[in-house]
Amino acid sequence: MRRPAALVPGLLALCLAAPALADIRVASFNTDLSRKGPGLLLRDILSGKDSQVAAVLDVITAARPDIIALQGIDYDLDGLALRVLADRLRARDLDYPHLFALRPNTGLRTGLDLDGDGRVGGPGDAQGFGYFAGQDGMAILSRFPVLTDRVRDFSALVWRDLPGATLPEMDGAPFPSAEAQAVQRLSTTGHWDVPVDLGGSVLHLLTFHASPPVFDGPEDRNGLRNRDELRLWTLYLDGALDVAPPRGPFVVLGDANLDPEDGDGRSAAMRAFLADPRLTDPLPESPGGAAAPQTGANAAQRGEPARDTAEWDDTPEDEAPGNLRVDYVLPSSGIEVIGAGVFWPADGPLAETVRTASRHRLVWADLALP
């Protein structure tokens, strides 16, 4: 099933132990590949000269997941950028014949003032923050067939229609307006249940990329939205939405933009989610996170540094958050987890590569085939 790690001499051994051939490696990686205009990501991948694209390819090649959920990758209608990215990985002997992406909410215009700045037409007035439709989307690359006819896409769910939703208010009135709340979708980017055929069993990928719980005001619009984006998965597993929960094994994976201990978000929501008995938290760690300087914003944090998955500035005067755990791969409790980690070497040739690739680190888990 898996190609031997020896096909990537010297790289994989630096950071990862190869799983047994009967296991699968599932990963999530916010690549930060989003660009400032449509078609620019495709241009940069095709050029072969973009250092960030090359670094992202290096990271994925070294980690060698069987299934990977990507965030921060621009969407185009024909999937050209994703296909070319997969071609570049295939040239490195890492073949993903099955690609999946849907149009994200990011950049989807509404014609309303959704962010309450008194203007209409800015990136904050799209269903999800974005300067153009498709910016900062999501995608899945898989060695295994994606059962596209069984995909469930929750991205069009209006926020106020989520059971128990907490919508922002200002001075007792809906923020920014009742009209805006009538159309505002919950998903900043998307929420997908993507079934993958493992050959004898089906694994459901519950993937998403939530809003950062910052960049708002005292109404806490983004913080409340971020929390409810996480709650959607709990409600889905509870059977509280209009569709039945997934049958069989699943993995929740993506960028929740929420740390269970630190940062500006509603951390209690993440702690509660991680404590759900239907999930397994593999507690992935990395030598790079453990070795990161615990100064500035990092000095006041409570979380285990080795479990951080994103490296932001840590200067308190700039209100920078420091390093946080925001990216997750959480298998359902019935799946045996063989190993897990955050791809963040402390030194060696890949240490600078991961920083060039993205502020986020690839998170992986090795699972016994269900």
PDB file of all heavy atoms in Angstrom, residues 167-200:
ATOM      1  N   LEU A 167     -25.380  34.188  17.855  1.00  0.00           N
ATOM      2  CA  LEU A 167     -25.076  35.215  16.868  1.00  0.00           C
ATOM      3  C   LEU A 167     -24.641  36.506  17.551  1.00  0.00           C
ATOM      4  O   LEU A 167     -25.083  36.816  18.665  1.00  0.00           O
ATOM      5  CB  LEU A 167     -26.296  35.470  15.981  1.00  0.00           C
ATOM      6  CG  LEU A 167     -26.800  34.255  15.199  1.00  0.00           C
ATOM      7  CD1 LEU A 167     -28.043  34.615  14.403  1.00  0.00           C
ATOM      8  CD2 LEU A 167     -25.730  33.733  14.269  1.00  0.00           C
ATOM      9  N   PRO A 168     -23.772  37.279  16.908  1.00  0.00           N
ATOM     10  CA  PRO A 168     -23.265  38.501  17.538  1.00  0.00           C
ATOM     11  C   PRO A 168     -24.332  39.583  17.658  1.00  0.00           C
ATOM     12  O   PRO A 168     -25.214  39.701  16.800  1.00  0.00           O
ATOM     13  CB  PRO A 168     -22.138  38.934  16.592  1.00  0.00           C
ATOM     14  CG  PRO A 168     -22.515  38.346  15.267  1.00  0.00           C
ATOM     15  CD  PRO A 168     -23.197  37.056  15.571  1.00  0.00           C
ATOM     16  N   GLU A 169     -24.193  40.335  18.728  1.00  0.00           N
ATOM     17  CA  GLU A 169     -25.089  41.467  18.962  1.00  0.00           C
ATOM     18  C   GLU A 169     -24.271  42.681  19.344  1.00  0.00           C
ATOM     19  O   GLU A 169     -23.166  42.569  19.873  1.00  0.00           O
ATOM     20  CB  GLU A 169     -26.085  41.156  20.086  1.00  0.00           C
ATOM     21  CG  GLU A 169     -27.070  40.045  19.768  1.00  0.00           C
ATOM     22  CD  GLU A 169     -28.081  39.845  20.885  1.00  0.00           C
ATOM     23  OE1 GLU A 169     -27.886  40.441  21.991  1.00  0.00           O
ATOM     24  OE2 GLU A 169     -29.059  39.114  20.687  1.00  0.00           O
ATOM     25  N   MET A 170     -24.857  43.849  19.099  1.00  0.00           N
ATOM     26  CA  MET A 170     -24.270  45.117  19.534  1.00  0.00           C
ATOM     27  C   MET A 170     -25.399  45.968  20.085  1.00  0.00           C
ATOM     28  O   MET A 170     -26.378  46.248  19.378  1.00  0.00           O
ATOM     29  CB  MET A 170     -23.575  45.828  18.375  1.00  0.00           C
ATOM     30  CG  MET A 170     -22.889  47.123  18.776  1.00  0.00           C
ATOM     31  SD  MET A 170     -21.433  46.855  19.813  1.00  0.00           S
ATOM     32  CE  MET A 170     -20.250  46.334  18.575  1.00  0.00           C
ATOM     33  N   ASP A 171     -25.295  46.342  21.351  1.00  0.00           N
ATOM     34  CA  ASP A 171     -26.334  47.125  22.018  1.00  0.00           C
ATOM     35  C   ASP A 171     -27.691  46.447  21.918  1.00  0.00           C
ATOM     36  O   ASP A 171     -28.735  47.097  21.704  1.00  0.00           O
ATOM     37  CB  ASP A 171     -26.403  48.544  21.432  1.00  0.00           C
ATOM     38  CG  ASP A 171     -25.101  49.310  21.614  1.00  0.00           C
ATOM     39  OD1 ASP A 171     -24.445  49.112  22.657  1.00  0.00           O
ATOM     40  OD2 ASP A 171     -24.738  50.087  20.709  1.00  0.00           O
ATOM     41  N   GLY A 172     -27.686  45.118  22.034  1.00  0.00           N
ATOM     42  CA  GLY A 172     -28.933  44.369  22.038  1.00  0.00           C
ATOM     43  C   GLY A 172     -29.542  44.114  20.683  1.00  0.00           C
ATOM     44  O   GLY A 172     -30.606  43.481  20.589  1.00  0.00           O
ATOM     45  N   ALA A 173     -28.876  44.574  19.607  1.00  0.00           N
ATOM     46  CA  ALA A 173     -29.407  44.391  18.261  1.00  0.00           C
ATOM     47  C   ALA A 173     -28.512  43.448  17.480  1.00  0.00           C
ATOM     48  O   ALA A 173     -27.302  43.352  17.746  1.00  0.00           O
ATOM     49  CB  ALA A 173     -29.501  45.741  17.545  1.00  0.00           C
ATOM     50  N   PRO A 174     -29.071  42.730  16.489  1.00  0.00           N
ATOM     51  CA  PRO A 174     -28.235  41.837  15.682  1.00  0.00           C
ATOM     52  C   PRO A 174     -27.101  42.605  15.011  1.00  0.00           C
ATOM     53  O   PRO A 174     -27.305  43.707  14.489  1.00  0.00           O
ATOM     54  CB  PRO A 174     -29.215  41.278  14.635  1.00  0.00           C
ATOM     55  CG  PRO A 174     -30.562  41.435  15.240  1.00  0.00           C
ATOM     56  CD  PRO A 174     -30.489  42.683  16.072  1.00  0.00           C
ATOM     57  N   PHE A 175     -25.895  42.013  15.058  1.00  0.00           N
ATOM     58  CA  PHE A 175     -24.734  42.654  14.435  1.00  0.00           C
ATOM     59  C   PHE A 175     -24.328  41.858  13.207  1.00  0.00           C
ATOM     60  O   PHE A 175     -24.212  40.642  13.257  1.00  0.00           O
ATOM     61  CB  PHE A 175     -23.566  42.717  15.416  1.00  0.00           C
ATOM     62  CG  PHE A 175     -22.324  43.333  14.821  1.00  0.00           C
ATOM     63  CD1 PHE A 175     -22.116  44.696  14.909  1.00  0.00           C
ATOM     64  CD2 PHE A 175     -21.387  42.560  14.148  1.00  0.00           C
ATOM     65  CE1 PHE A 175     -20.974  45.274  14.347  1.00  0.00           C
ATOM     66  CE2 PHE A 175     -20.257  43.121  13.585  1.00  0.00           C
ATOM     67  CZ  PHE A 175     -20.053  44.485  13.680  1.00  0.00           C
ATOM     68  N   PRO A 176     -24.058  42.540  12.075  1.00  0.00           N
ATOM     69  CA  PRO A 176     -24.198  43.987  11.871  1.00  0.00           C
ATOM     70  C   PRO A 176     -25.633  44.412  11.590  1.00  0.00           C
ATOM     71  O   PRO A 176     -25.963  45.573  11.707  1.00  0.00           O
ATOM     72  CB  PRO A 176     -23.302  44.240  10.660  1.00  0.00           C
ATOM     73  CG  PRO A 176     -23.381  42.978   9.877  1.00  0.00           C
ATOM     74  CD  PRO A 176     -23.476  41.873  10.892  1.00  0.00           C
ATOM     75  N   SER A 177     -26.502  43.433  11.196  1.00  0.00           N
ATOM     76  CA  SER A 177     -27.904  43.726  10.923  1.00  0.00           C
ATOM     77  C   SER A 177     -28.650  42.408  10.817  1.00  0.00           C
ATOM     78  O   SER A 177     -28.062  41.347  10.578  1.00  0.00           O
ATOM     79  CB  SER A 177     -28.054  44.515   9.615  1.00  0.00           C
ATOM     80  OG  SER A 177     -27.682  43.712   8.494  1.00  0.00           O
ATOM     81  N   ALA A 178     -29.963  42.488  11.006  1.00  0.00           N
ATOM     82  CA  ALA A 178     -30.793  41.294  10.825  1.00  0.00           C
ATOM     83  C   ALA A 178     -30.737  40.816   9.381  1.00  0.00           C
ATOM     84  O   ALA A 178     -30.758  39.606   9.111  1.00  0.00           O
ATOM     85  CB  ALA A 178     -32.238  41.600  11.238  1.00  0.00           C
ATOM     86  N   GLU A 179     -30.652  41.750   8.441  1.00  0.00           N
ATOM     87  CA  GLU A 179     -30.573  41.387   7.024  1.00  0.00           C
ATOM     88  C   GLU A 179     -29.304  40.595   6.746  1.00  0.00           C
ATOM     89  O   GLU A 179     -29.325  39.596   6.017  1.00  0.00           O
ATOM     90  CB  GLU A 179     -30.601  42.659   6.173  1.00  0.00           C
ATOM     91  CG  GLU A 179     -30.589  42.397   4.677  1.00  0.00           C
ATOM     92  CD  GLU A 179     -30.506  43.677   3.858  1.00  0.00           C
ATOM     93  OE1 GLU A 179     -30.034  44.700   4.402  1.00  0.00           O
ATOM     94  OE2 GLU A 179     -30.899  43.647   2.678  1.00  0.00           O
ATOM     95  N   ALA A 180     -28.193  41.022   7.333  1.00  0.00           N
ATOM     96  CA  ALA A 180     -26.934  40.309   7.124  1.00  0.00           C
ATOM     97  C   ALA A 180     -26.994  38.916   7.741  1.00  0.00           C
ATOM     98  O   ALA A 180     -26.542  37.928   7.141  1.00  0.00           O
ATOM     99  CB  ALA A 180     -25.780  41.109   7.716  1.00  0.00           C
ATOM    100  N   GLN A 181     -27.551  38.808   8.944  1.00  0.00           N
ATOM    101  CA  GLN A 181     -27.615  37.512   9.600  1.00  0.00           C
ATOM    102  C   GLN A 181     -28.538  36.534   8.873  1.00  0.00           C
ATOM    103  O   GLN A 181     -28.385  35.311   9.024  1.00  0.00           O
ATOM    104  CB  GLN A 181     -28.042  37.679  11.056  1.00  0.00           C
ATOM    105  CG  GLN A 181     -26.984  38.346  11.913  1.00  0.00           C
ATOM    106  CD  GLN A 181     -27.312  38.317  13.389  1.00  0.00           C
ATOM    107  OE1 GLN A 181     -28.367  37.815  13.803  1.00  0.00           O
ATOM    108  NE2 GLN A 181     -26.415  38.854  14.217  1.00  0.00           N
ATOM    109  N   ALA A 182     -29.454  37.050   8.076  1.00  0.00           N
ATOM    110  CA  ALA A 182     -30.361  36.173   7.334  1.00  0.00           C
ATOM    111  C   ALA A 182     -29.654  35.430   6.207  1.00  0.00           C
ATOM    112  O   ALA A 182     -30.162  34.402   5.731  1.00  0.00           O
ATOM    113  CB  ALA A 182     -31.529  36.989   6.769  1.00  0.00           C
ATOM    114  N   VAL A 183     -28.491  35.938   5.776  1.00  0.00           N
ATOM    115  CA  VAL A 183     -27.778  35.294   4.665  1.00  0.00           C
ATOM    116  C   VAL A 183     -26.401  34.785   5.061  1.00  0.00           C
ATOM    117  O   VAL A 183     -25.789  34.006   4.312  1.00  0.00           O
ATOM    118  CB  VAL A 183     -27.634  36.253   3.463  1.00  0.00           C
ATOM    119  CG1 VAL A 183     -28.995  36.743   2.989  1.00  0.00           C
ATOM    120  CG2 VAL A 183     -26.723  37.433   3.789  1.00  0.00           C
ATOM    121  N   GLN A 184     -25.890  35.195   6.210  1.00  0.00           N
ATOM    122  CA  GLN A 184     -24.528  34.840   6.601  1.00  0.00           C
ATOM    123  C   GLN A 184     -24.387  33.335   6.827  1.00  0.00           C
ATOM    124  O   GLN A 184     -25.008  32.743   7.696  1.00  0.00           O
ATOM    125  CB  GLN A 184     -24.135  35.570   7.883  1.00  0.00           C
ATOM    126  CG  GLN A 184     -22.792  35.155   8.473  1.00  0.00           C
ATOM    127  CD  GLN A 184     -21.615  35.573   7.620  1.00  0.00           C
ATOM    128  OE1 GLN A 184     -21.239  36.736   7.614  1.00  0.00           O
ATOM    129  NE2 GLN A 184     -21.040  34.621   6.890  1.00  0.00           N
ATOM    130  N   ARG A 185     -23.548  32.693   6.010  1.00  0.00           N
ATOM    131  CA  ARG A 185     -23.287  31.271   6.176  1.00  0.00           C
ATOM    132  C   ARG A 185     -22.384  31.037   7.379  1.00  0.00           C
ATOM    133  O   ARG A 185     -21.583  31.900   7.750  1.00  0.00           O
ATOM    134  CB  ARG A 185     -22.650  30.692   4.915  1.00  0.00           C
ATOM    135  CG  ARG A 185     -23.554  30.764   3.703  1.00  0.00           C
ATOM    136  CD  ARG A 185     -22.881  30.174   2.473  1.00  0.00           C
ATOM    137  NE  ARG A 185     -23.777  30.182   1.321  1.00  0.00           N
ATOM    138  CZ  ARG A 185     -23.480  29.651   0.137  1.00  0.00           C
ATOM    139  NH1 ARG A 185     -22.288  29.077  -0.058  1.00  0.00           N
ATOM    140  NH2 ARG A 185     -24.362  29.689  -0.850  1.00  0.00           N
ATOM    141  N   LEU A 186     -22.494  29.861   7.961  1.00  0.00           N
ATOM    142  CA  LEU A 186     -21.648  29.523   9.096  1.00  0.00           C
ATOM    143  C   LEU A 186     -20.209  29.297   8.663  1.00  0.00           C
ATOM    144  O   LEU A 186     -19.279  29.811   9.291  1.00  0.00           O
ATOM    145  CB  LEU A 186     -22.178  28.261   9.785  1.00  0.00           C
ATOM    146  CG  LEU A 186     -21.273  27.678  10.874  1.00  0.00           C
ATOM    147  CD1 LEU A 186     -21.103  28.652  12.032  1.00  0.00           C
ATOM    148  CD2 LEU A 186     -21.807  26.345  11.359  1.00  0.00           C
ATOM    149  N   SER A 187     -20.001  28.531   7.601  1.00  0.00           N
ATOM    150  CA  SER A 187     -18.659  28.126   7.196  1.00  0.00           C
ATOM    151  C   SER A 187     -17.901  29.293   6.584  1.00  0.00           C
ATOM    152  O   SER A 187     -18.334  29.860   5.584  1.00  0.00           O
ATOM    153  CB  SER A 187     -18.724  26.990   6.176  1.00  0.00           C
ATOM    154  OG  SER A 187     -19.418  25.878   6.681  1.00  0.00           O
ATOM    155  N   THR A 188     -16.767  29.617   7.155  1.00  0.00           N
ATOM    156  CA  THR A 188     -15.897  30.614   6.544  1.00  0.00           C
ATOM    157  C   THR A 188     -15.361  30.098   5.216  1.00  0.00           C
ATOM    158  O   THR A 188     -15.350  30.814   4.217  1.00  0.00           O
ATOM    159  CB  THR A 188     -14.720  30.929   7.484  1.00  0.00           C
ATOM    160  OG1 THR A 188     -15.237  31.459   8.691  1.00  0.00           O
ATOM    161  CG2 THR A 188     -13.764  31.914   6.855  1.00  0.00           C
ATOM    162  N   THR A 189     -14.906  28.865   5.215  1.00  0.00           N
ATOM    163  CA  THR A 189     -14.364  28.247   4.005  1.00  0.00           C
ATOM    164  C   THR A 189     -15.244  27.101   3.554  1.00  0.00           C
ATOM    165  O   THR A 189     -15.744  27.083   2.428  1.00  0.00           O
ATOM    166  CB  THR A 189     -12.937  27.717   4.257  1.00  0.00           C
ATOM    167  OG1 THR A 189     -12.173  28.729   4.911  1.00  0.00           O
ATOM    168  CG2 THR A 189     -12.257  27.325   2.949  1.00  0.00           C
ATOM    169  N   GLY A 190     -15.451  26.113   4.409  1.00  0.00           N
ATOM    170  CA  GLY A 190     -16.304  24.993   4.081  1.00  0.00           C
ATOM    171  C   GLY A 190     -16.292  23.952   5.176  1.00  0.00           C
ATOM    172  O   GLY A 190     -15.384  23.910   6.017  1.00  0.00           O
ATOM    173  N   HIS A 191     -17.307  23.114   5.194  1.00  0.00           N
ATOM    174  CA  HIS A 191     -17.387  21.923   6.025  1.00  0.00           C
ATOM    175  C   HIS A 191     -17.809  20.779   5.115  1.00  0.00           C
ATOM    176  O   HIS A 191     -18.914  20.795   4.560  1.00  0.00           O
ATOM    177  CB  HIS A 191     -18.436  22.081   7.138  1.00  0.00           C
ATOM    178  CG  HIS A 191     -18.020  22.913   8.299  1.00  0.00           C
ATOM    179  ND1 HIS A 191     -18.025  24.297   8.254  1.00  0.00           N
ATOM    180  CD2 HIS A 191     -17.592  22.577   9.550  1.00  0.00           C
ATOM    181  CE1 HIS A 191     -17.624  24.767   9.441  1.00  0.00           C
ATOM    182  NE2 HIS A 191     -17.358  23.746  10.239  1.00  0.00           N
ATOM    183  N   TRP A 192     -16.957  19.784   4.962  1.00  0.00           N
ATOM    184  CA  TRP A 192     -17.244  18.661   4.079  1.00  0.00           C
ATOM    185  C   TRP A 192     -17.106  17.342   4.830  1.00  0.00           C
ATOM    186  O   TRP A 192     -16.184  17.181   5.636  1.00  0.00           O
ATOM    187  CB  TRP A 192     -16.262  18.593   2.904  1.00  0.00           C
ATOM    188  CG  TRP A 192     -16.045  19.836   2.118  1.00  0.00           C
ATOM    189  CD1 TRP A 192     -16.878  20.902   1.978  1.00  0.00           C
ATOM    190  CD2 TRP A 192     -14.878  20.140   1.336  1.00  0.00           C
ATOM    191  NE1 TRP A 192     -16.307  21.846   1.162  1.00  0.00           N
ATOM    192  CE2 TRP A 192     -15.081  21.414   0.755  1.00  0.00           C
ATOM    193  CE3 TRP A 192     -13.680  19.458   1.072  1.00  0.00           C
ATOM    194  CZ2 TRP A 192     -14.125  22.011  -0.079  1.00  0.00           C
ATOM    195  CZ3 TRP A 192     -12.736  20.044   0.250  1.00  0.00           C
ATOM    196  CH2 TRP A 192     -12.961  21.310  -0.320  1.00  0.00           C
ATOM    197  N   ASP A 193     -17.996  16.422   4.521  1.00  0.00           N
ATOM    198  CA  ASP A 193     -17.815  15.014   4.881  1.00  0.00           C
ATOM    199  C   ASP A 193     -17.498  14.294   3.579  1.00  0.00           C
ATOM    200  O   ASP A 193     -18.366  14.129   2.721  1.00  0.00           O
ATOM    201  CB  ASP A 193     -19.093  14.464   5.524  1.00  0.00           C
ATOM    202  CG  ASP A 193     -19.019  12.958   5.803  1.00  0.00           C
ATOM    203  OD1 ASP A 193     -18.054  12.290   5.364  1.00  0.00           O
ATOM    204  OD2 ASP A 193     -19.950  12.441   6.445  1.00  0.00           O
ATOM    205  N   VAL A 194     -16.238  13.882   3.437  1.00  0.00           N
ATOM    206  CA  VAL A 194     -15.763  13.283   2.191  1.00  0.00           C
ATOM    207  C   VAL A 194     -15.422  11.813   2.454  1.00  0.00           C
ATOM    208  O   VAL A 194     -14.419  11.508   3.100  1.00  0.00           O
ATOM    209  CB  VAL A 194     -14.518  14.019   1.653  1.00  0.00           C
ATOM    210  CG1 VAL A 194     -14.055  13.396   0.342  1.00  0.00           C
ATOM    211  CG2 VAL A 194     -14.822  15.506   1.462  1.00  0.00           C
ATOM    212  N   PRO A 195     -16.251  10.873   1.967  1.00  0.00           N
ATOM    213  CA  PRO A 195     -15.950   9.452   2.168  1.00  0.00           C
ATOM    214  C   PRO A 195     -14.865   8.982   1.193  1.00  0.00           C
ATOM    215  O   PRO A 195     -14.885   9.318   0.008  1.00  0.00           O
ATOM    216  CB  PRO A 195     -17.286   8.750   1.873  1.00  0.00           C
ATOM    217  CG  PRO A 195     -18.301   9.841   1.738  1.00  0.00           C
ATOM    218  CD  PRO A 195     -17.555  11.072   1.338  1.00  0.00           C
ATOM    219  N   VAL A 196     -13.937   8.195   1.710  1.00  0.00           N
ATOM    220  CA  VAL A 196     -12.841   7.647   0.913  1.00  0.00           C
ATOM    221  C   VAL A 196     -12.903   6.129   0.999  1.00  0.00           C
ATOM    222  O   VAL A 196     -13.035   5.569   2.098  1.00  0.00           O
ATOM    223  CB  VAL A 196     -11.481   8.176   1.419  1.00  0.00           C
ATOM    224  CG1 VAL A 196     -10.324   7.538   0.666  1.00  0.00           C
ATOM    225  CG2 VAL A 196     -11.417   9.697   1.278  1.00  0.00           C
ATOM    226  N   ASP A 197     -12.818   5.482  -0.144  1.00  0.00           N
ATOM    227  CA  ASP A 197     -12.894   4.027  -0.219  1.00  0.00           C
ATOM    228  C   ASP A 197     -11.512   3.433   0.014  1.00  0.00           C
ATOM    229  O   ASP A 197     -10.611   3.589  -0.816  1.00  0.00           O
ATOM    230  CB  ASP A 197     -13.430   3.612  -1.593  1.00  0.00           C
ATOM    231  CG  ASP A 197     -13.643   2.116  -1.726  1.00  0.00           C
ATOM    232  OD1 ASP A 197     -13.306   1.377  -0.778  1.00  0.00           O
ATOM    233  OD2 ASP A 197     -14.147   1.686  -2.780  1.00  0.00           O
ATOM    234  N   LEU A 198     -11.345   2.761   1.147  1.00  0.00           N
ATOM    235  CA  LEU A 198     -10.056   2.169   1.483  1.00  0.00           C
ATOM    236  C   LEU A 198      -9.915   0.749   0.951  1.00  0.00           C
ATOM    237  O   LEU A 198      -8.900   0.095   1.192  1.00  0.00           O
ATOM    238  CB  LEU A 198      -9.847   2.167   2.999  1.00  0.00           C
ATOM    239  CG  LEU A 198      -9.875   3.531   3.693  1.00  0.00           C
ATOM    240  CD1 LEU A 198      -9.611   3.359   5.181  1.00  0.00           C
ATOM    241  CD2 LEU A 198      -8.869   4.487   3.075  1.00  0.00           C
ATOM    242  N   GLY A 199     -10.925   0.279   0.238  1.00  0.00           N
ATOM    243  CA  GLY A 199     -10.886  -1.074  -0.278  1.00  0.00           C
ATOM    244  C   GLY A 199     -11.337  -2.058   0.778  1.00  0.00           C
ATOM    245  O   GLY A 199     -10.522  -2.741   1.401  1.00  0.00           O
ATOM    246  N   GLY A 200     -12.625  -2.114   1.001  1.00  0.00           N
ATOM    247  CA  GLY A 200     -13.170  -2.971   2.042  1.00  0.00           C
ATOM    248  C   GLY A 200     -13.812  -2.192   3.163  1.00  0.00           C
ATOM    249  O   GLY A 200     -14.605  -2.729   3.932  1.00  0.00           O
TER     250      GLY A 200
END
